[in-house]
Amino acid sequence: MIRRRPPSDPAVAGLVKAASRSAFSRRHLLGGVGLGLGATALSACAPPAPPATAAALNLPTDVSDTDKVVRWANWTAYLDYDEEAKNYPTLQGFIEQTGIQATYSEDIEDNDAYYNKVRPQLIAGQDIGRDIFTFTDWMAGRVIREQLCQPLELIRMPNATNLLEPLKDVSFDPGRTHSLTWQSGFAGIGYNKEKVGRELKSLDDLWADDLKGKVVVLSEFRDTVGCILLHQGVDISKPVGKQQFETAVAEVEKRMADGNIRRIKGNSYLEDLKTGNAVAGIVWSGDLFVLRAETEDENWEFVIPESGGTLWSDNLMVPITSTHRRNAETLMNYYYQPEVAAQVAAYVNYICPVVGAQEVLAQSDPDLAESPFIFPSADYIAEHNITGFSALSAEADAEFSAIWQKVMGN
Amino acid sequence: MSTLAHVGAGASGAPTSPSPEPAKKSRLAYLLLLPGAVWLLVFFVIPLVQLFTVSLQSQFPGYPGYYYRDVNVGNYWRAFTDFGPHFGRSLLFAGLATFFAFCLAYPLAYAMAFKAGKWRGVMMILVIAPFFTSFILRTVAWRQILADEGPVATTLNTLHLLPGGRITETWMAVVAGLTYNFLPFMVLPIYASLERADHRIIEAGGDLYANGFTTFRTVTLPMSMPGVLAGTLLTFIPAAGDYVNAELLGSDNTKMVGNVIESQFFRVLGGFPTAAALSFTLMAIILALVFVYVRKFGTEELL
């Protein structure tokens, strides 16, 4: 998609004026009457004016005290689950401790898809049936920018001080006023040592001739392009320029044209690794440990490429239309107790953002507590040049994701 | 599908034979039509008009994801120029799938109608059985069957019949998936029309000294044409708009229009107008093709 950049402010003003004029035209009136139903269903399609940047937040009245409910939308395999009891032990603990009925649904499979699903409703001020949703950094940034989430009252979440120091101030949410980290992870190289027959250390190793057509990369461009940018010597902790991004994207396109990359995929790349369609790729850290356990094959390895890997987090936020913000904060506060966080970390195998959880886990499972993929030390992160992909401006965000969709053949 | 719905509604709405009490009869006909008409209005016409207005919207520059009402025909131009190859692939893959489905379905339907005897019921169930499982699940299952280390790929590779060394992530897999998924839609109408055919007419062909092939060509095939026409439409139309097969079985360079529409709607911020314009362009292309096709091959019985 080619997007025209705004030439200057008067032009924008002109467009806005034109838009508000058309709002009173007969065409609009007729259309409005005829399409009332359809328009309500898809009301996001025709907002009357662009969002006012400095508008006061209009928070709904909180009914947490009388309505003891909290509804949480999260990603798959992201909370400790008891196969036998068919429940989430830590969540069960929360319900017993607080008397708040927490419901948990694995609604989110993809940042974009979930965001686009709930965005129209949030803009229209409708309840989406969830009081917490979980988005990756960049999408959390977009949600905060669009004022689709509520500010959090840190004073009601004393345990939030347990948040790891580097995560306390992040580029997409300065001062952590709107979000709280759920889990973090790395993106790097994952491969099967036995099937590849050697160790893979850098991205160049991935493009070896004998691995042609056996490599998958993530559809999350901040991870795939991020790793390639690091390989090209770009510091991704600073906003990435369009030219730098395009150079990295050209590399991906070249590897696809040469037949190195088999497919750019979302989380389903795990299936390809299992069936043998792929033996290596740019993947997420926790997944490879899940894969190890599921296939009972110790040959699955996860390494941070020599040039560095990316670090991302998923963040808990309260949708702007939720009327249970305080219950949501109670739940976040609960999960920031080291004991609870340790229990979750032992199950999901992603980086635990809660200080003190490592000490708790050391008592029950010393090996796990030593894992750099759950409790990476600051030295480990610095040594391996692991960086988060810096937040992008609204326009760069939209522009880059459009470029990336093109790469993916869409 | 929409085309067929129209045809169906139109056909049932027109009273054909003169009746003694025309006023009363037609009122009953309209009454019977009402639920269908309301359904079409609410779930087809209104969303369609809504989608059309979306396809003409423009974006506020500098506010990705925000639109205003406009008559931006440029969306259509962009949809067509940017995604031309996708349209080409959609039509090509759907055409191939329709062709292969026809080649597989006709003998099957013929056997079911004329040769199956007591096995007819069983064969019928086998044709319909896949519908008992979800469309997506069956396609995912094909990923497993066609996987590099699966039986099909390894056999073909040993015989050196697979140039790329793999089946999934190729256009072949997409076409195969489409063929498989829409096969029942081809078999059932052909079977229905063959089964209805008057055996005595086919026998008459032999009585008039035509050989088997000539009888088939001049008698059986023309009698089954309504079924063939319906079957090809039921296969081609949904196959051209399909994105599941291309997504699950194809690669990044075998994406079809459906995939682009999906990604513009759900993955590209500000892609709504393009996605809507793409949908309308696809609809227009298919309508035009179907119109020409039905004009050329259509029979009285279908319309």
PDB file of all heavy atoms in Angstrom, chain A residues 21 33 47 76 102 168 174 196 200 261 289 296 306 335 337-338 344 357 361 364-365 369:
ATOM      1  N   ARG A  21     -17.705  18.406   6.449  1.00  0.00           N
ATOM      2  CA  ARG A  21     -18.734  18.874   5.529  1.00  0.00           C
ATOM      3  C   ARG A  21     -19.540  17.704   5.001  1.00  0.00           C
ATOM      4  O   ARG A  21     -20.748  17.730   5.011  1.00  0.00           O
ATOM      5  CB  ARG A  21     -18.081  19.612   4.360  1.00  0.00           C
ATOM      6  CG  ARG A  21     -18.383  21.107   4.340  1.00  0.00           C
ATOM      7  CD  ARG A  21     -18.286  21.681   2.955  1.00  0.00           C
ATOM      8  NE  ARG A  21     -17.187  21.205   2.162  1.00  0.00           N
ATOM      9  CZ  ARG A  21     -15.942  21.684   2.216  1.00  0.00           C
ATOM     10  NH1 ARG A  21     -15.667  22.653   3.058  1.00  0.00           N
ATOM     11  NH2 ARG A  21     -14.991  21.222   1.443  1.00  0.00           N
ATOM     12  N   VAL A  33     -29.173   6.517   7.117  1.00  0.00           N
ATOM     13  CA  VAL A  33     -30.448   5.881   7.438  1.00  0.00           C
ATOM     14  C   VAL A  33     -30.464   4.443   6.934  1.00  0.00           C
ATOM     15  O   VAL A  33     -30.790   3.513   7.648  1.00  0.00           O
ATOM     16  CB  VAL A  33     -31.614   6.681   6.813  1.00  0.00           C
ATOM     17  CG1 VAL A  33     -32.923   5.941   6.995  1.00  0.00           C
ATOM     18  CG2 VAL A  33     -31.686   8.068   7.435  1.00  0.00           C
ATOM     19  N   PRO A  47     -15.102   7.013  11.397  1.00  0.00           N
ATOM     20  CA  PRO A  47     -15.106   7.941  12.529  1.00  0.00           C
ATOM     21  C   PRO A  47     -15.299   9.348  12.000  1.00  0.00           C
ATOM     22  O   PRO A  47     -14.819   9.677  10.923  1.00  0.00           O
ATOM     23  CB  PRO A  47     -13.724   7.774  13.144  1.00  0.00           C
ATOM     24  CG  PRO A  47     -12.885   7.243  12.041  1.00  0.00           C
ATOM     25  CD  PRO A  47     -13.782   6.488  11.122  1.00  0.00           C
ATOM     26  N   THR A  76      -2.061 -18.389  23.966  1.00  0.00           N
ATOM     27  CA  THR A  76      -2.102 -19.830  24.269  1.00  0.00           C
ATOM     28  C   THR A  76      -0.848 -20.264  25.040  1.00  0.00           C
ATOM     29  O   THR A  76       0.217 -19.693  24.863  1.00  0.00           O
ATOM     30  CB  THR A  76      -2.199 -20.663  22.980  1.00  0.00           C
ATOM     31  OG1 THR A  76      -1.359 -20.066  22.000  1.00  0.00           O
ATOM     32  CG2 THR A  76      -3.609 -20.693  22.462  1.00  0.00           C
ATOM     33  N   ALA A 102     -12.301 -14.951  38.585  1.00  0.00           N
ATOM     34  CA  ALA A 102     -11.472 -14.653  37.425  1.00  0.00           C
ATOM     35  C   ALA A 102     -11.750 -15.656  36.320  1.00  0.00           C
ATOM     36  O   ALA A 102     -11.777 -16.854  36.569  1.00  0.00           O
ATOM     37  CB  ALA A 102     -10.002 -14.704  37.820  1.00  0.00           C
ATOM     38  N   LYS A 168      11.192  -1.289  33.965  1.00  0.00           N
ATOM     39  CA  LYS A 168      10.376  -0.299  34.671  1.00  0.00           C
ATOM     40  C   LYS A 168      10.105   0.935  33.830  1.00  0.00           C
ATOM     41  O   LYS A 168       9.094   1.600  33.985  1.00  0.00           O
ATOM     42  CB  LYS A 168      11.052   0.103  35.980  1.00  0.00           C
ATOM     43  CG  LYS A 168      10.709  -0.873  37.094  1.00  0.00           C
ATOM     44  CD  LYS A 168      11.191  -0.417  38.436  1.00  0.00           C
ATOM     45  CE  LYS A 168      10.741  -1.415  39.494  1.00  0.00           C
ATOM     46  NZ  LYS A 168      11.537  -1.316  40.713  1.00  0.00           N
ATOM     47  N   PRO A 174       6.334   5.196  28.838  1.00  0.00           N
ATOM     48  CA  PRO A 174       7.256   5.824  29.786  1.00  0.00           C
ATOM     49  C   PRO A 174       6.684   5.792  31.204  1.00  0.00           C
ATOM     50  O   PRO A 174       5.540   6.186  31.420  1.00  0.00           O
ATOM     51  CB  PRO A 174       7.379   7.262  29.270  1.00  0.00           C
ATOM     52  CG  PRO A 174       6.965   7.185  27.837  1.00  0.00           C
ATOM     53  CD  PRO A 174       5.934   6.105  27.764  1.00  0.00           C
ATOM     54  N   VAL A 196      20.561 -31.037  11.671  1.00  0.00           N
ATOM     55  CA  VAL A 196      21.450 -30.105  10.980  1.00  0.00           C
ATOM     56  C   VAL A 196      22.860 -30.678  10.924  1.00  0.00           C
ATOM     57  O   VAL A 196      23.592 -30.495   9.952  1.00  0.00           O
ATOM     58  CB  VAL A 196      21.439 -28.727  11.689  1.00  0.00           C
ATOM     59  CG1 VAL A 196      22.482 -27.800  11.094  1.00  0.00           C
ATOM     60  CG2 VAL A 196      20.067 -28.092  11.573  1.00  0.00           C
ATOM     61  N   LEU A 200      24.790 -24.230  14.893  1.00  0.00           N
ATOM     62  CA  LEU A 200      24.525 -22.975  14.194  1.00  0.00           C
ATOM     63  C   LEU A 200      24.798 -21.835  15.162  1.00  0.00           C
ATOM     64  O   LEU A 200      24.354 -21.864  16.301  1.00  0.00           O
ATOM     65  CB  LEU A 200      23.068 -22.916  13.716  1.00  0.00           C
ATOM     66  CG  LEU A 200      22.606 -24.012  12.770  1.00  0.00           C
ATOM     67  CD1 LEU A 200      21.162 -23.773  12.357  1.00  0.00           C
ATOM     68  CD2 LEU A 200      23.484 -24.095  11.537  1.00  0.00           C
ATOM     69  N   ILE A 261      14.718 -19.519   2.756  1.00  0.00           N
ATOM     70  CA  ILE A 261      13.581 -19.464   3.668  1.00  0.00           C
ATOM     71  C   ILE A 261      12.403 -20.185   3.031  1.00  0.00           C
ATOM     72  O   ILE A 261      12.020 -19.885   1.905  1.00  0.00           O
ATOM     73  CB  ILE A 261      13.198 -18.003   3.980  1.00  0.00           C
ATOM     74  CG1 ILE A 261      14.342 -17.313   4.728  1.00  0.00           C
ATOM     75  CG2 ILE A 261      11.918 -17.952   4.810  1.00  0.00           C
ATOM     76  CD1 ILE A 261      14.098 -15.842   4.986  1.00  0.00           C
ATOM     77  N   PHE A 289      11.734 -24.866  24.174  1.00  0.00           N
ATOM     78  CA  PHE A 289      11.730 -25.707  25.368  1.00  0.00           C
ATOM     79  C   PHE A 289      10.456 -26.532  25.431  1.00  0.00           C
ATOM     80  O   PHE A 289      10.469 -27.684  25.849  1.00  0.00           O
ATOM     81  CB  PHE A 289      11.930 -24.837  26.613  1.00  0.00           C
ATOM     82  CG  PHE A 289      13.245 -24.127  26.596  1.00  0.00           C
ATOM     83  CD1 PHE A 289      13.345 -22.805  26.206  1.00  0.00           C
ATOM     84  CD2 PHE A 289      14.408 -24.823  26.915  1.00  0.00           C
ATOM     85  CE1 PHE A 289      14.574 -22.173  26.146  1.00  0.00           C
ATOM     86  CE2 PHE A 289      15.639 -24.194  26.855  1.00  0.00           C
ATOM     87  CZ  PHE A 289      15.724 -22.859  26.464  1.00  0.00           C
ATOM     88  N   GLU A 296      10.229 -34.956  23.200  1.00  0.00           N
ATOM     89  CA  GLU A 296      11.208 -35.702  23.987  1.00  0.00           C
ATOM     90  C   GLU A 296      12.503 -35.853  23.213  1.00  0.00           C
ATOM     91  O   GLU A 296      13.124 -36.916  23.191  1.00  0.00           O
ATOM     92  CB  GLU A 296      10.630 -37.071  24.385  1.00  0.00           C
ATOM     93  CG  GLU A 296       9.448 -36.909  25.323  1.00  0.00           C
ATOM     94  CD  GLU A 296       8.789 -38.218  25.685  1.00  0.00           C
ATOM     95  OE1 GLU A 296       9.222 -39.248  25.157  1.00  0.00           O
ATOM     96  OE2 GLU A 296       7.854 -38.189  26.501  1.00  0.00           O
ATOM     97  N   GLU A 306      25.256 -14.747  17.079  1.00  0.00           N
ATOM     98  CA  GLU A 306      26.465 -14.030  17.507  1.00  0.00           C
ATOM     99  C   GLU A 306      26.271 -12.518  17.427  1.00  0.00           C
ATOM    100  O   GLU A 306      26.800 -11.773  18.245  1.00  0.00           O
ATOM    101  CB  GLU A 306      27.646 -14.438  16.624  1.00  0.00           C
ATOM    102  CG  GLU A 306      28.289 -15.726  17.102  1.00  0.00           C
ATOM    103  CD  GLU A 306      29.338 -16.230  16.128  1.00  0.00           C
ATOM    104  OE1 GLU A 306      29.456 -15.659  15.025  1.00  0.00           O
ATOM    105  OE2 GLU A 306      30.020 -17.209  16.480  1.00  0.00           O
ATOM    106  N   TYR A 335      -0.197 -11.605  40.746  1.00  0.00           N
ATOM    107  CA  TYR A 335       0.804 -12.307  39.934  1.00  0.00           C
ATOM    108  C   TYR A 335       2.202 -11.728  40.089  1.00  0.00           C
ATOM    109  O   TYR A 335       3.160 -12.294  39.602  1.00  0.00           O
ATOM    110  CB  TYR A 335       0.384 -12.343  38.465  1.00  0.00           C
ATOM    111  CG  TYR A 335      -0.515 -13.526  38.191  1.00  0.00           C
ATOM    112  CD1 TYR A 335      -1.888 -13.387  38.103  1.00  0.00           C
ATOM    113  CD2 TYR A 335       0.028 -14.811  38.074  1.00  0.00           C
ATOM    114  CE1 TYR A 335      -2.708 -14.476  37.896  1.00  0.00           C
ATOM    115  CE2 TYR A 335      -0.779 -15.912  37.869  1.00  0.00           C
ATOM    116  CZ  TYR A 335      -2.151 -15.733  37.771  1.00  0.00           C
ATOM    117  OH  TYR A 335      -2.947 -16.835  37.581  1.00  0.00           O
ATOM    118  N   GLN A 337       3.557 -11.420  43.004  1.00  0.00           N
ATOM    119  CA  GLN A 337       4.185 -12.019  44.172  1.00  0.00           C
ATOM    120  C   GLN A 337       5.208 -13.027  43.666  1.00  0.00           C
ATOM    121  O   GLN A 337       4.893 -13.839  42.814  1.00  0.00           O
ATOM    122  CB  GLN A 337       3.156 -12.751  45.021  1.00  0.00           C
ATOM    123  CG  GLN A 337       2.044 -11.866  45.560  1.00  0.00           C
ATOM    124  CD  GLN A 337       0.969 -12.695  46.206  1.00  0.00           C
ATOM    125  OE1 GLN A 337       1.104 -13.130  47.328  1.00  0.00           O
ATOM    126  NE2 GLN A 337      -0.090 -12.950  45.454  1.00  0.00           N
ATOM    127  N   PRO A 338       6.418 -13.011  44.215  1.00  0.00           N
ATOM    128  CA  PRO A 338       7.456 -13.912  43.712  1.00  0.00           C
ATOM    129  C   PRO A 338       7.024 -15.391  43.693  1.00  0.00           C
ATOM    130  O   PRO A 338       7.335 -16.106  42.752  1.00  0.00           O
ATOM    131  CB  PRO A 338       8.606 -13.687  44.681  1.00  0.00           C
ATOM    132  CG  PRO A 338       8.414 -12.301  45.183  1.00  0.00           C
ATOM    133  CD  PRO A 338       6.929 -12.080  45.217  1.00  0.00           C
ATOM    134  N   VAL A 344       4.362 -19.777  37.748  1.00  0.00           N
ATOM    135  CA  VAL A 344       4.051 -19.551  36.328  1.00  0.00           C
ATOM    136  C   VAL A 344       5.303 -19.786  35.478  1.00  0.00           C
ATOM    137  O   VAL A 344       5.266 -20.483  34.463  1.00  0.00           O
ATOM    138  CB  VAL A 344       3.506 -18.121  36.099  1.00  0.00           C
ATOM    139  CG1 VAL A 344       3.295 -17.864  34.612  1.00  0.00           C
ATOM    140  CG2 VAL A 344       2.218 -17.915  36.864  1.00  0.00           C
ATOM    141  N   ALA A 357      11.429 -14.130  42.181  1.00  0.00           N
ATOM    142  CA  ALA A 357      10.909 -15.422  41.749  1.00  0.00           C
ATOM    143  C   ALA A 357      12.045 -16.433  41.595  1.00  0.00           C
ATOM    144  O   ALA A 357      11.881 -17.629  41.859  1.00  0.00           O
ATOM    145  CB  ALA A 357      10.158 -15.265  40.431  1.00  0.00           C
ATOM    146  N   LEU A 361      12.175 -20.160  43.116  1.00  0.00           N
ATOM    147  CA  LEU A 361      12.307 -21.331  42.259  1.00  0.00           C
ATOM    148  C   LEU A 361      13.565 -22.121  42.605  1.00  0.00           C
ATOM    149  O   LEU A 361      13.596 -23.350  42.461  1.00  0.00           O
ATOM    150  CB  LEU A 361      12.333 -20.894  40.788  1.00  0.00           C
ATOM    151  CG  LEU A 361      11.926 -21.947  39.771  1.00  0.00           C
ATOM    152  CD1 LEU A 361      10.520 -22.456  40.047  1.00  0.00           C
ATOM    153  CD2 LEU A 361      11.992 -21.385  38.361  1.00  0.00           C
ATOM    154  N   SER A 364      12.848 -25.055  44.819  1.00  0.00           N
ATOM    155  CA  SER A 364      12.144 -26.233  44.319  1.00  0.00           C
ATOM    156  C   SER A 364      12.840 -26.834  43.095  1.00  0.00           C
ATOM    157  O   SER A 364      12.864 -28.047  42.915  1.00  0.00           O
ATOM    158  CB  SER A 364      10.689 -25.871  43.978  1.00  0.00           C
ATOM    159  OG  SER A 364      10.679 -24.818  43.043  1.00  0.00           O
ATOM    160  N   ASP A 365      13.396 -26.017  42.240  1.00  0.00           N
ATOM    161  CA  ASP A 365      14.005 -26.523  41.010  1.00  0.00           C
ATOM    162  C   ASP A 365      15.241 -25.699  40.667  1.00  0.00           C
ATOM    163  O   ASP A 365      15.191 -24.779  39.852  1.00  0.00           O
ATOM    164  CB  ASP A 365      12.973 -26.435  39.867  1.00  0.00           C
ATOM    165  CG  ASP A 365      13.409 -27.241  38.647  1.00  0.00           C
ATOM    166  OD1 ASP A 365      14.634 -27.500  38.527  1.00  0.00           O
ATOM    167  OD2 ASP A 365      12.553 -27.604  37.840  1.00  0.00           O
ATOM    168  N   ALA A 369      16.043 -22.517  37.871  1.00  0.00           N
ATOM    169  CA  ALA A 369      16.346 -21.186  38.383  1.00  0.00           C
ATOM    170  C   ALA A 369      17.637 -20.644  37.776  1.00  0.00           C
ATOM    171  O   ALA A 369      17.875 -19.440  37.784  1.00  0.00           O
ATOM    172  CB  ALA A 369      16.443 -21.212  39.900  1.00  0.00           C
TER     173      ALA A 369
END
